């Protein structure tokens, strides 16, 4: 038994020395050099080298690097062949036609990105209200247009032109709020998720004590004090939170 234990111990020592020698021989402790090599490679090349890295211990370093470079060159050649076959299918024969096609393709992609970015920027503007749409319809002679019903106020908040510059319905979490709460978020210029977090904090603190005062509401909310007060007042006015201990009894 002791001989077997010693055999296992010496085997582990030899394995440790072998691995240490492998690290020193391949220069794997030079992290800066490896990071510089990784930066020069593309993402696909980095994935390829990482995929075949476990096989580096079975042969010399030069052969391993040559093998992986060969696989990378093969991948590039296959991609180029597929690209040329695509050009042939769409009727391109010369290098000049291919260059013109690539330039037009890049131009279309840039135009699409520019339009998409412009659309995303302008999408945060709220469309015109129901009254404005009905007036525009009447100007066009559309007598059948009906104005949208007014949004009920939450905490005394009324719709104004200033809040129309902040669109809430396109932000994450807006679908979980009522129209009145979305209107409050637009007035306070607060994202719906921040409003939901503040509302939850006020609910939890009010549930613990049975009531919640304004000063404590400002402390538990992660909003600006003036915004926290508006949210608190809206919740009190709707009966969701009691402001005093007497009201809780």
């Amino acid at each position: 038994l002791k001989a077997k234990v010693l055999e296992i111990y010496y085997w582990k020592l030899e394995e440790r020395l072998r691995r240490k020698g492998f690290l020193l021989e391949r220069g794997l402790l030079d992290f800066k050099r490896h990071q510089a090599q990784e930066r020069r490679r593309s993402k696909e090349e980095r994935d390829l080298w990482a995929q075949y890295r476990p096989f580096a211990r079975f042969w010399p370093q030069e052969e391993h690097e040559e093998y992986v470079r060969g696989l990378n060159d093969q991948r590039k050649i296959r991609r180029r062949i597929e690209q040329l076959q695509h050009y042939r299918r769409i009727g391109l024969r010369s290098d000049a036609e291919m260059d013109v096609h690539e330039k037009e393709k890049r131009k279309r992609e840039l135009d699409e990105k520019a339009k998409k970015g412009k659309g995303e920027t302008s999408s945060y503007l709220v469309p015109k209200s129901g009254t404005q749409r009905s007036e525009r319809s009447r100007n066009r002679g559309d007598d059948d247009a009906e104005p949208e019903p007014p949004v009920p106020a939450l905490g005394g908040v009324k719709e104004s032109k200033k809040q129309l510059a902040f669109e809430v319905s396109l932000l994450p979490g807006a679908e979980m709020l009522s129209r009145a709460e979305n209107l409050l978020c637009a007035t306070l210029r607060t994202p719906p998720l921040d409003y939901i977090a503040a509302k939850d904090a006020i609910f939890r603190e009010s549930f613990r004590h049975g009531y919640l005062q304004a000063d404590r509401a400002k402390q538990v909310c992660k909003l600006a004090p003036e915004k926290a007060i508006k949210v608190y007042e809206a919740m009190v006015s709707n009966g969701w939170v009691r402001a005093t201990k007497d009201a809780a009894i």
Side-chain angles (χ1 to χ4, degrees):
L1 180 61
K2 291 182 179 180
K4 190 64 176 177
V5 172
L6 290 174
E7 182 182 352
I8 295 173
Y9 174 71
Y10 286 128
W11 178 83
K12 288 188 176 182
L13 287 180
E14 292 175 357
E15 182 67 15
R16 185 181 300 175
L17 290 175
R18 187 188 67 80
R19 294 186 179 186
K20 183 178 179 180
F22 179 81
L23 292 175
L24 296 176
E25 178 186 355
R26 302 295 175 91
L28 298 179
L29 299 179
D30 191 353
F31 297 108
K32 292 185 179 180
R33 181 171 66 87
H34 285 285
Q35 288 178 353
Q37 291 177 350
E38 291 292 322
R39 292 193 197 100
R40 289 194 295 267
R41 295 167 182 162
S42 64
K43 183 180 182 303
E44 294 180 350
E45 291 176 347
R46 289 196 298 268
D47 294 340
L48 183 65
W49 280 89
Q51 181 180 359
Y52 286 91
R53 187 175 294 126
F55 302 101
R57 54 181 176 155
F58 297 117
W59 48 11
Q61 183 177 3
E62 294 77 11
E63 294 183 10
H64 176 71
E65 292 180 354
E66 183 180 359
Y67 176 75
V68 178
R69 281 195 295 267
L71 291 176
N72 187 40
D73 293 340
Q74 182 186 29
R75 178 183 58 83
K76 292 180 179 179
I77 293 172
R78 287 181 179 273
R79 177 174 296 177
R80 181 57 178 170
I81 291 173
E82 293 176 356
Q83 188 178 27
L84 293 175
Q85 289 175 345
H86 171 70
Y87 289 151
R88 186 180 181 86
R89 284 194 298 268
I90 62 178
L92 303 179
R93 293 292 185 269
S94 64
D95 292 338
E97 293 176 346
M98 297 176 189
D99 293 339
V100 172
H101 174 74
E102 287 297 324
K103 289 180 181 179
E104 293 178 352
K105 182 179 178 181
R106 284 194 293 269
K107 183 179 179 181
R108 288 195 302 270
E109 292 176 352
L110 292 175
D111 292 341
E112 289 177 0
K113 288 182 180 179
K115 291 180 180 179
K116 185 177 180 182
K118 185 177 179 181
E120 291 178 352
T121 303
S122 61
S123 64
Y124 284 94
L125 297 177
V126 179
K128 298 191 175 195
S129 62
T131 304
Q132 292 172 323
R133 282 196 296 269
S134 61
E135 291 177 355
R136 185 177 60 189
S137 300
R138 285 194 294 270
N139 292 333
R140 291 200 308 262
D142 186 5
D143 297 330
D144 296 332
E146 296 182 358
E148 292 185 354
V151 180
L154 179 63
V157 177
K158 295 183 179 180
E159 187 175 3
S160 63
K161 293 183 179 179
K162 184 178 179 180
Q163 72 194 43
L164 295 179
F166 187 78
E167 171 57 44
V168 176
S169 61
L170 299 177
L171 298 177
E175 68 278 0
M176 296 185 289
L177 303 180
S178 63
R179 293 186 64 187
E181 289 178 308
N182 281 323
L183 180 59
L184 177 61
C185 289
T187 304
L188 300 179
R189 304 184 67 83
T190 301
L193 293 180
D194 293 348
Y195 168 78
I196 292 173
K199 180 180 175 182
D200 181 69
I202 292 175
F203 266 133
R204 290 177 182 272
E205 192 68 16
S206 174
F207 182 76
R208 286 177 55 193
H209 303 283
Y211 69 99
L212 185 66
Q213 296 181 347
D215 294 337
R216 182 57 182 165
K218 290 190 292 184
Q219 296 176 1
V220 299
C221 287
K222 293 184 179 180
L223 297 176
E226 59 275 9
K227 294 183 179 181
I229 287 298
K230 290 290 185 181
V231 174
Y232 170 77
E233 291 176 351
M235 297 177 68
V236 171
S237 65
N238 282 272
W240 298 342
V241 173
R242 295 181 174 87
T244 61
K245 187 175 183 180
D246 295 337
I249 299 175

